[in-house]
Amino acid sequence: MSDDKDAKKRITQMINFILQEAREKADEIRMKADEEFQIEKGRILNPERLKLNQEFDRKFKDLEIKQKIERSTQVNKARLQVLEKRGELMKQVENDGYKRLSSLKSDTNKYKEMLKNLMIQGFIRIDEETVVVRVVKEDLELAQSIFDDAVSEYKKIWKSSVGASDPINASLDKSRFLPASVIGGVSVYARNDKICLDNTLQARLGVCQQALMPILRGRLFGVVAHQGIIYEDEEHDKHKE
């Protein structure tokens, strides 16, 4: 009986040992298989993952570029709309100024003095010996009344500045007139109309608009700080500061 018990005990121990060895071997095989699986999985998936990352980066960059282009397009479109609107407003200012030119002729005495000064300035600036003055048809009578005075004053100015008389031969054209669109003022011609000094009200308005355009933009739109002219309200603000 004792021998049978010992034999059974040894058999049980052997079985347990074998089972333990089998479990350890199975665990070792399982761990090695898992390790090899992970390595193989990485070998297969990593290139694909890299490709996916590269594709994602490319698409992301394409999206960024597209958004920048769209943003730039919208900014440029908005800028053009602003510039177009500014242009319309500036054109409106020009048109309003042109419409108000005729008001300069409402006071006959002031306009007569202006017409004479425009003639004198025209004589000085054209600097020719023989000149012809033209006006709009409705100003002919007024121009005739001050023409001789304008020539006389021009000669005085010339002599006092140069010290010699100017043998100017000036005439007022009574058959050919300036277009009504110039509103008023004079044009002085020389050398068979090859030279023209445009001193009409429309031309003078154009000169003023060109000179004041940066200041107008600054005061209307705040585009740039205007220079050269200080307005009364600005002078008042400076004193307050």
Side-chain angles (χ1 to χ4, degrees):
M1 285 296 289
S2 167
D3 292 338
D4 290 340
K5 288 181 179 180
D6 290 340
K8 287 181 180 179
K9 184 177 180 181
R10 288 176 183 174
I11 291 171
T12 300
Q13 288 177 343
M14 291 178 64
I15 291 173
N16 290 336
F17 177 77
I18 292 171
L19 289 175
Q20 180 65 28
E21 285 285 324
R23 280 195 293 269
E24 290 178 356
K25 192 66 176 179
D27 290 341
E28 183 181 345
I29 293 171
R30 188 181 302 109
M31 289 177 62
K32 188 172 183 181
D34 289 341
E35 183 180 351
E36 290 178 353
F37 172 76
Q38 293 298 329
I39 293 172
E40 183 66 16
K41 184 175 71 171
R43 187 184 67 80
I44 296 173
L45 293 182
N46 284 344
E48 296 301 320
R49 186 180 294 111
L50 181 61
K51 289 181 182 179
L52 288 173
N53 288 338
Q54 290 174 341
E55 182 68 13
F56 175 80
D57 290 341
R58 184 185 65 79
K59 289 185 177 181
F60 185 75
K61 288 179 180 178
D62 290 344
L63 180 61
E64 279 187 325
I65 293 172
K66 184 179 179 181
Q67 289 176 338
K68 287 179 180 178
I69 293 173
E70 289 179 354
R71 191 181 303 115
S72 177
T73 301
Q74 292 299 321
V75 169
N76 288 335
K77 184 178 179 181
R79 184 182 292 115
L80 289 175
Q81 289 175 342
V82 170
L83 291 176
E84 184 179 355
K85 191 62 179 179
R86 284 180 182 171
E88 291 175 1
L89 292 174
M90 292 305 297
K91 190 66 179 177
Q92 183 179 341
V93 171
E94 292 176 12
N95 291 336
D96 290 345
Y98 176 77
K99 290 176 182 177
R100 295 177 64 181
L101 279 180
S102 57
S103 66
L104 296 175
K105 303 174 71 173
S106 59
D107 189 322
T108 304
N109 291 328
K110 287 184 179 180
Y111 179 61
K112 183 190 292 186
E113 185 67 21
M114 180 190 296
L115 198 62
K116 183 177 72 173
N117 291 332
L118 290 173
M119 286 183 187
I120 295 171
Q121 187 183 53
F123 296 151
I124 295 172
R125 292 176 63 191
I126 201 168
D127 194 20
E128 290 287 332
E129 187 172 327
T130 301
V131 297
V132 177
V133 177
R134 294 194 184 109
V135 296
V136 295
K137 191 172 184 178
E138 67 175 358
D139 286 350
L140 179 60
E141 185 176 343
L142 194 63
Q144 285 177 311
S145 68
I146 49 95
F147 184 74
D148 291 339
D149 289 341
V151 174
S152 177
E153 285 192 31
Y154 162 74
K155 289 182 177 180
K156 289 179 182 177
I157 293 172
W158 185 272
K159 188 171 184 178
S160 64
S161 300
V162 179
S165 299
D166 183 1
I168 187 171
N169 179 19
S171 61
L172 179 64
D173 198 331
K174 299 172 185 170
S175 59
R176 297 174 64 186
F177 303 99
L178 300 177
S181 59
V182 303
I183 308 298
V186 302
S187 284
V188 184
Y189 295 84
R191 301 179 187 264
N192 295 321
D193 292 356
K194 291 180 181 177
I195 300 176
C196 173
L197 192 288
D198 190 350
N199 227 14
T200 60
L201 294 184
Q202 186 182 36
R204 300 306 301 169
L205 175 64
V207 171
C208 291
Q209 287 174 337
Q210 190 67 28
L212 295 175
M213 196 66 70
I215 297 173
L216 286 174
R217 287 199 184 100
R219 289 182 67 82
L220 289 175
F221 311 120
V223 178
V224 291
H226 49 265
Q227 298 177 356
I229 294 180
I230 298 177
Y231 296 89
E232 292 182 359
D233 56 342
E234 295 172 343
E235 187 69 25
H236 179 67
D237 291 341
K238 286 183 180 180
H239 287 313
K240 284 176 66 178
E241 293 174 359

